[in-house]
Amino acid sequence: MFALALELLKLGEQQKALTLFQTIAKTDPNYVGVYYHLGKLLEELNRAEEAIVQYKTGIKIAQQLNDQHAKSELQGALMNLEMEINE
């Protein structure tokens, strides 16, 4: 399902990809990779506050899973978005 969501993004099908990413986050919340892509897509859709929630959720899950790489990526995305909002 995750690969399909990425393919849909490439085809410009943002709403369909969004639905799939949200479904993945709900049905498999420990699939930490989804939170980065979900957050980025929400940013593209000008839904920054929702993106922040997804990044923070992903950071918590990455901590629980001891996935430092995912945690670092999500923290970077969150920091960049928060800086952009504050400009």
Side-chain angles (χ1 to χ4, degrees):
M1 195 181 309
F2 184 73
L4 176 58
L6 293 176
E7 278 301 311
L8 287 168
L9 278 181
K10 290 179 188 176
L11 298 172
E13 298 282 350
Q14 291 178 316
Q15 289 301 319
K16 290 180 182 178
L18 178 63
T19 299
L20 282 179
F21 285 142
Q22 290 171 328
T23 299
I24 294 165
K26 286 179 187 169
T27 59
D28 189 6
N30 286 336
Y31 192 83
V32 73
V34 74
Y35 297 99
Y36 178 85
H37 292 282
L38 180 53
K40 283 295 177 188
L41 179 52
L42 288 166
E43 282 188 57
E44 288 177 28
L45 297 172
N46 296 314
R47 293 163 64 174
E49 294 304 317
E50 292 174 71
I52 288 170
V53 169
Q54 294 304 318
Y55 292 143
K56 288 182 177 181
T57 301
I59 290 166
K60 287 179 189 173
I61 291 170
Q63 283 177 302
Q64 292 169 356
L65 298 174
N66 201 27
D67 186 337
Q68 296 304 315
H69 177 74
K71 180 182 171 188
S72 176
E73 277 191 336
L74 288 160
Q75 287 175 326
L78 176 62
M79 185 176 67
N80 288 338
L81 178 55
E82 288 177 334
M83 286 183 356
E84 188 177 304
I85 289 171
N86 292 326
E87 287 181 352

